[in-house]
Amino acid sequence: MMKEVDGKATTSVVTGAWFPIPIKVGTPESYTLLDIIDVDGDGQNEIMIGSGYYEGNGIQVMKLLNGKFINVVSGGEGA
């Protein structure tokens, strides 16, 4: 991940559990990294993840806090 700190570009490795452990419900599901961006303006990038299955889709914004990704906001549509 690249970000600007004090006017200089820095790189850091993004690690952690990006997705919760899936529950097997028999439906195919896909996940896509949509963006890495500072959504809330606090100087720390969040990750935006898209998900989809045969009857709908969703989006989730996650923030790295104390070494773990936490859900900030999520939404979707479908059956």
Side-chain angles (χ1 to χ4, degrees), residues 31-43:
Y31 296 97
T32 305
L33 178 63
L34 300 176
D35 207 346
I36 300 174
I37 188 170
D38 184 6
V39 175
D40 57 9
D42 67 352

Side-chain angles (χ1 to χ4, degrees), residues 23-27 29:
I23 299 170
K24 292 187 178 187
V25 293
T27 58
E29 195 153 349

Side-chain angles (χ1 to χ4, degrees), residues 35-71:
D35 207 346
I36 300 174
I37 188 170
D38 184 6
V39 175
D40 57 9
D42 67 352
Q44 180 181 355
N45 286 332
E46 288 78 38
I47 60 173
M48 298 176 73
I49 301 165
S51 63
Y53 68 108
Y54 75 102
E55 288 185 345
N57 58 54
I59 188 169
Q60 189 171 14
V61 177
M62 301 183 83
K63 174 186 284 278
L64 185 62
L65 185 64
N66 299 324
K68 295 183 179 181
F69 281 101
I70 62 164
N71 185 42

